[in-house]
Amino acid sequence: MSISTYLETAPLFEIVKYSDKYREQLLDVWEKSVLETHDFLSASDFLEIKEIVTKIDFNAFNVYCLLDRDNVIGFLGTANQKLEMLFLSPEHIGKGLGKKLLNFAIRELKANKVDVNEQNTNAVKFYSKFGFKTYERTAKDEQGKNYPLLRMELNK
């Protein structure tokens, strides 16, 4: 591969503030990510959550997109120093990009709390590696479904 071909195709990752031009890509990343990482969800619960997510006004949160050139490959959102969402396209999981997003949320947006589905053990491990500790467990998620949440806080 020539250097010019490499430079044309090499990833060019950047984190940018959300704008509505990224909405469809963001929703696509969300869906692919949840289907890959939330295998504990029933099909009907997934569809119910998807309906809720498609109605979210992402401008109401502090949302940032991780871009490879102009393609959304991940995103995060915070509100009141709490990480409300962090999702990556499945093909980009395990490549250090979740770490890049979380470091941005912690350093730039001062995020220090997150709720994680207890059954999403990879996410629990991911946040734990960064120093997040569980301070509360719920029996149900915010929709009243039997998906316990771990409320985690960053211990500094």
Side-chain angles (χ1 to χ4, degrees):
M1 176 185 297
S2 72
I3 190 77
S4 62
T5 303
Y6 173 77
L7 291 174
E8 290 170 11
T9 59
L12 184 63
F13 301 122
E14 63 178 327
I15 297 174
V16 301
K17 182 85 171 129
Y18 170 82
S19 77
D20 287 331
K21 75 178 184 176
Y22 297 123
R23 183 175 179 78
E24 291 309 312
Q25 290 185 67
L26 183 147
L27 290 171
D28 186 54
V29 166
W30 175 86
E31 182 169 354
K32 288 179 189 172
S33 181
V34 170
L35 288 172
E36 180 74 20
T37 61
H38 291 62
D39 57 357
F40 53 88
L41 290 176
S42 71
S44 62
D45 286 342
F46 169 77
L47 292 173
E48 189 177 315
I49 295 166
K50 182 178 177 180
E51 179 75 18
I52 293 167
V53 170
T54 59
K55 293 178 180 173
I56 291 175
D57 175 7
F58 292 102
N59 294 299
F61 295 92
N62 205 12
V63 176
Y64 286 82
C65 298
L66 177 63
L67 304 180
D68 176 2
R69 306 216 177 254
D70 206 33
N71 298 310
V72 176
I73 61 168
F75 67 94
L76 67 86
T78 64
N80 301 318
Q81 294 184 286
K82 181 179 174 192
L83 185 63
E84 297 287 350
M85 55 191 93
L86 190 155
F87 294 93
L88 279 174
S89 280
E91 65 272 20
H92 296 288
I93 293 173
K95 298 180 179 177
L97 298 172
K99 178 179 181 178
K100 183 179 184 76
L101 282 171
L102 187 54
N103 279 329
F104 179 84
I106 293 168
R107 291 182 185 142
E108 303 300 321
L109 307 177
K110 308 302 182 211
N112 62 7
K113 290 187 178 181
V114 65
D115 291 351
V116 183
N117 289 102
E118 184 176 58
Q119 294 108 318
N120 190 347
T121 56
N122 286 335
V124 173
K125 289 177 196 170
F126 173 75
Y127 292 113
S128 295
K129 277 190 208 175
F130 281 83
F132 284 85
K133 303 283 185 213
T134 301
Y135 67 90
E136 182 179 29
R137 180 189 182 273
T138 68
K140 298 183 182 288
D141 68 10
E142 291 166 350
Q143 283 74 46
K145 304 284 184 179
N146 290 319
Y147 301 115
L149 294 176
L150 299 179
R151 300 197 191 282
M152 302 180 83
E153 187 169 33
L154 187 61
N155 285 354
K156 296 180 182 177

